[in-house]
Amino acid sequence: MGRRIKPEDLGVYRTLSRPSISPRSGAVAISVKQADIDGDTYKSDVWLVPAAGNAKRFTNTGKDGGPVWSPDGRSILFSSKRGLVKDEKGSELYSIAADGGEARLVAKRKEGIEHYEWSANSRTVYFLSPVLEAEKTDVKVVRRLEVWSNGRGFVYNLRRHIFRTDRSAAPVQVTSGDFDVTGFALSHSGKKIAYAARTNELKPFIQDIFVKDLPSGKTVKITRGNMGLESLAWSPDDGSIAFSGSSFPRGFASHDRLWVVGADGKSRPRKVDSTDRNKANTLNSDVRSGGHGPAGLVWEGSWLYHFQQDGGSAHLYRTDLQGSTEEVLGGERSIEGVDVKKGKIAFVGMDGAAPEELYLKDGTETPLTSFNREARSKLASIEPKGFSFKASDGVKIEGWALVPEGEGRHPAILYVHGGPKTAFGHAYSHELQTFASAGYVVVCLNPRGSDGYSERFADIRGGYGTRDFKDLMEGLDHAI
């Protein structure tokens, strides 16, 4: 039995990146991050985990993360700040041989480096980075006014574009223009790149998909300017592109669905799923470092692997082009980052009482790591108790309560999630555990507007602050 959880115990947990499976050995590359409370920072390193388990630290700088195997399985690409001096801004990409040795600098950008991928030749690397139009004097001349950014500072002279490098020369900019690239995916042949871009600053929630032929430079727009887009994935034959996104039938309460469109731009996107649930993981947790968010599509064989929010759980499903859907990873838990190769699935998962670990599903499901063994043994986490009730209009509402040990009455906290289209459920929360350890009953509800249910449940336009407030108050009365 562990001790009560305190705020400073945030430094006990380890959080995991999205896993990457080696196409040669099957070993899983992952980064492990831990808060350094005294140093007011985070430390992160790359680890290798064979299919049989026995994880081994692969880098040791405390500044490395997000590893991705090369297509030939001979190298690992990862982001880092190991080469930056104190207070220096920016980020770097390094590659390192699978059998170890000295990491080689691939790219360095003071503006930062975001999403990155290997090309099919296992030599060229593509990445996303801001492009700064620097002022020639100290005077800031605002030529465009972007009104949709939150907490980013001055963005009037920034764009986001794709770069490439072959590790022997300075990065070359691949896209340019008055638009912002929000994500990309390379074709399996390495000859084409699909990217999502925001072209209308007054409607940043709308993106389009473009396909650029890299040898010729020819670019084709393959969507119609009426959708919000998330994750992209190429078909095995490079003839089609799958994406998660929405045409906003219920405004911002709309679910992301699965769509497929021809890469040649000659067809319209076709919706391939029919399940009235969001294709994302929107569970609230404060002990994760990756994987949380949109569908994270993987196109393997004839199946599209994707997240789906089911009430208080986030699961992994697979859907084929005819709309047949199967649950792959279920249970009362949160499936975080996922990689799929040759039928094997490496994934990160957690639940309401235990933080993240790495697992492998190859027929059966096997835990590969025990990174949070210390947290589980030292800290007395409390299993959230699920309940449901019928609201005054007859709709079922779900909730959870973290009840501290001890007889008698306890003070209570009604904790309301933001979003509003997120959800409480089977995902670990250090903050909620800390409140419960201090003797409070913590009540968490998924009122109208929350994710994990139907679009109708999420869509309370015209009723914000009324219907959701009733759900919260009625739920609190039920819990008490």
Side-chain angles (χ1 to χ4, degrees):
M1 185 64 181
R3 58 171 173 79
R4 291 184 175 183
I5 299 173
K6 301 177 180 178
E8 56 268 27
D9 288 324
L10 183 65
V12 177
Y13 308 112
R14 293 181 175 187
T15 61
L16 312 182
S17 70
R18 180 176 179 174
S20 178
I21 303 175
S22 168
R24 295 186 73 197
S25 67
V28 180
I30 199 163
S31 59
V32 181
K33 181 182 288 187
Q34 191 168 18
D36 178 359
I37 302 298
D38 294 335
D40 192 25
T41 188
Y42 284 90
K43 293 183 178 180
S44 175
D45 284 302
V46 174
W47 290 65
L48 290 188
V49 188
N54 191 24
K56 294 183 179 180
R57 191 191 300 266
F58 198 59
T59 67
N60 199 33
T61 70
K63 298 179 179 181
D64 306 326
V68 180
W69 281 100
S70 60
D72 64 8
R74 298 180 184 277
S75 302
I76 298 172
L77 182 70
F78 61 93
S79 61
S80 183
K81 293 182 180 294
R82 58 169 64 189
L84 304 184
V85 299
K86 185 179 180 180
D87 298 328
E88 183 181 2
K89 294 182 179 180
S91 53
E92 303 165 309
L93 286 178
Y94 285 83
S95 67
I96 187 170
D99 56 0
E102 190 68 27
R104 295 175 55 194
L105 180 65
V106 173
K108 180 177 180 178
R109 294 275 297 172
K110 66 180 180 180
E111 296 86 359
I113 294 173
E114 300 174 29
H115 175 70
Y116 43 90
E117 289 187 13
W118 289 97
S119 184
N121 62 16
S122 295
R123 297 188 302 274
T124 307
V125 171
Y126 290 75
F127 62 87
L128 193 60
S129 179
V131 177
L132 174 66
E133 182 184 347
E135 299 286 1
K136 296 180 180 179
T137 68
D138 291 339
V139 177
K140 289 181 171 60
V141 182
V142 179
R143 301 174 181 84
R144 63 185 180 93
L145 187 60
E146 184 177 339
V147 296
W148 295 85
S149 297
N150 183 17
R152 289 180 56 196
F154 287 105
V155 295
Y156 68 92
N157 58 346
L158 284 178
R159 292 294 188 186
R160 296 167 78 219
H161 283 291
I162 301 170
F163 291 77
R164 73 166 178 263
T165 177
D166 63 0
R167 298 183 287 176
S168 64
V172 176
Q173 191 170 330
V174 176
T175 60
S176 61
D178 291 332
F179 59 89
D180 292 291
V181 177
T182 58
F184 71 88
L186 282 159
S187 66
H188 300 287
S189 69
K191 296 180 179 179
K192 295 183 179 182
I193 188 168
Y195 62 90
R198 183 178 63 198
T199 60
N200 185 343
E201 291 175 345
L202 297 181
K203 293 183 177 180
F205 48 88
I206 298 293
Q207 297 100 39
D208 276 300
I209 299 176
F210 299 83
V211 175
K212 183 168 187 173
D213 181 79
L214 294 171
S216 69
K218 181 181 178 181
T219 301
V220 178
K221 179 182 175 182
I222 64 173
T223 51
R224 303 296 189 269
N226 62 344
M227 302 184 74
L229 308 173
E230 294 291 350
S231 182
L232 306 176
W234 285 84
S235 62
D237 65 359
D238 285 345
S240 301
I241 296 168
F243 63 94
S244 60
S246 173
S247 56
F248 305 107
R250 288 184 176 267
F252 293 144
S254 303
H255 290 336
D256 282 344
R257 309 299 284 268
L258 300 180
W259 306 76
V260 173
V261 63
D264 57 6
K266 296 180 180 179
S267 61
R268 291 181 178 272
R270 177 174 65 90
K271 186 168 64 176
V272 297
D273 81 285
S274 59
T275 308
D276 189 13
R277 293 293 183 270
N278 199 20
K279 303 303 180 285
N281 177 342
T282 57
L283 288 176
N284 286 278
S285 173
D286 51 10
V287 285
R288 59 157 63 100
S289 58
H292 176 249
L297 291 179
V298 178
W299 196 329
E300 175 83 359
S302 60
W303 295 99
L304 288 168
Y305 289 79
H306 58 89
F307 294 134
Q308 181 169 295
Q309 188 73 31
D310 292 327
S313 295
H315 296 146
L316 182 71
Y317 286 78
R318 64 180 190 177
T319 298
D320 65 19
L321 299 189
Q322 287 70 48
S324 177
T325 297
E326 299 177 358
E327 184 182 80
V328 179
L329 299 170
E332 292 185 339
R333 58 182 173 176
S334 175
I335 305 301
E336 304 282 311
V338 171
D339 193 17
V340 184
K341 279 190 176 67
K342 299 177 181 178
K344 296 181 180 180
I345 304 171
F347 69 96
V348 174
M350 64 171 155
D351 60 37
E356 295 178 326
E357 294 294 351
L358 175 67
Y359 301 83
L360 180 69
K361 183 171 182 178
D362 184 10
T364 58
E365 191 175 305
T366 305
L368 294 184
T369 64
S370 54
F371 288 122
N372 279 299
R373 178 188 299 166
E374 180 184 6
R376 293 195 302 272
S377 63
K378 280 187 175 182
L379 308 179
S381 64
I382 294 171
E383 182 78 42
K385 297 180 179 180
F387 63 89
S388 64
F389 68 97
K390 280 192 175 181
S392 54
D393 61 353
V395 174
K396 179 182 175 181
I397 304 296
E398 290 188 312
W400 288 262
L402 284 75
V403 182
E405 292 185 356
E407 300 295 330
R409 297 168 67 86
H410 300 276
I413 295 174
L414 173 62
Y415 200 106
V416 181
H417 69 64
K421 201 182 176 187
T422 63
F424 281 126
H426 304 287
Y428 192 88
S429 170
H430 172 65
E431 183 178 6
L432 301 187
Q433 291 285 345
T434 301
F435 285 140
S437 286
Y440 293 91
V441 175
V442 184
V443 179
C444 306
L445 297 162
N446 286 341
R448 244 66 65 91
S450 299
D451 203 4
Y453 310 94
S454 68
E455 279 191 337
R456 182 178 180 181
F457 186 95
D459 186 7
I460 55 170
R461 289 173 294 175
Y464 287 112
T466 56
R467 184 62 260 176
D468 49 352
F469 180 76
K470 288 181 181 179
D471 290 347
L472 291 168
M473 294 300 99
E474 292 168 8
L476 182 59
D477 289 342
H478 176 87
I480 292 174

